[in-house]
Amino acid sequence: IANEKTINDETINNETINKENINKETTNKKSTSKVRLSRGSIAVSGSDVVAYASKFLGTPYLWGGTTPEGFDCSGFTQYVYKHFGINVGRTTKNQIYDGYAVSRDQLQPGDLVFYGKNGMPSHMGIYIGDGMYIHAPRTGDVIKISPYDRKDYITARRVIR
């Protein structure tokens, strides 16, 4: 880690977000992670996750949605991972504690990326590589691919090993 201050603090709209608090909280909860592989020893790759998630491109956003008829952001990520036997929380605020923290320079396809304000997540998606992520953005929109490098980026989590 070249510059601890750069990694732990981020300025968003003139507010400094202390990522260290999130990482401490998530580290403390690491031993009770909700990530469980229920398909035995099947290896799941990030590219498998991205390929499956991509099948839902164009699916409408639906607040509270958890099925291919309509997804919200966390319902989408939960549904995709469940397909591979990986259980994550239902909401963005739950999923930010699943798996383990990953720094921006270590992102891999399949990692969960989180966005919000003051360290509180309000949106998320799945990193697909090349600076892009797949997500269910908002009411009136559809699942799509967008640049992941937003000003309200908080953190990333890896839920596959």
Side-chain angles (χ1 to χ4, degrees):
I1 298 175
N3 184 343
E4 191 72 23
K5 184 72 172 168
T6 303
I7 291 171
N8 288 332
D9 296 329
E10 178 172 273
T11 301
I12 301 172
N13 299 330
N14 296 323
E15 292 183 62
T16 299
I17 307 306
N18 187 316
K19 294 182 183 177
E20 189 173 81
N21 291 337
I22 288 177
N23 289 336
K24 281 181 186 173
E25 288 178 26
T26 57
T27 300
N28 292 340
K29 294 190 177 195
K30 188 175 180 181
S31 63
T32 60
S33 175
K34 297 175 191 166
V35 177
R36 294 178 294 276
L37 289 176
S38 59
R39 287 192 174 185
S41 61
I42 278 183
V44 177
S45 73
S47 59
D48 293 335
V49 170
V50 170
Y52 185 68
S54 296
K55 292 180 179 189
F56 301 102
L57 286 167
T59 300
Y61 177 94
L62 176 65
W63 189 84
T66 60
T67 71
E69 291 187 18
F71 291 110
D72 66 12
C73 63
S74 56
F76 172 60
T77 56
Q78 183 186 49
Y79 187 89
V80 168
Y81 275 100
K82 189 173 188 174
H83 174 78
F84 295 100
I86 299 172
N87 297 311
V88 296
R90 169 56 194 99
T91 68
T92 302
K93 290 175 181 149
N94 297 138
Q95 289 184 37
I96 200 166
Y97 296 110
D98 289 326
Y100 58 94
V102 179
S103 64
R104 278 184 161 184
D105 63 341
Q106 296 295 313
L107 278 173
Q108 294 177 8
D111 289 342
L112 299 174
V113 288
F114 295 86
Y115 305 90
K117 189 173 183 180
N118 297 327
M120 291 299 299
S122 58
H123 186 60
M124 67 179 301
I126 299 170
Y127 185 72
I128 65 169
D130 296 322
M132 306 297 277
Y133 80 119
I134 187 169
H135 63 125
R138 67 186 66 82
T139 300
D141 213 335
V142 297
I143 291 180
K144 64 184 178 182
I145 294 171
S146 303
Y148 99 97
D149 196 18
R150 299 171 21 166
K151 289 181 180 181
D152 60 344
Y153 176 88
I154 298 174
T155 192
R157 307 290 293 178
R158 184 162 298 148
V159 296
I160 55 179
R161 305 270 179 219

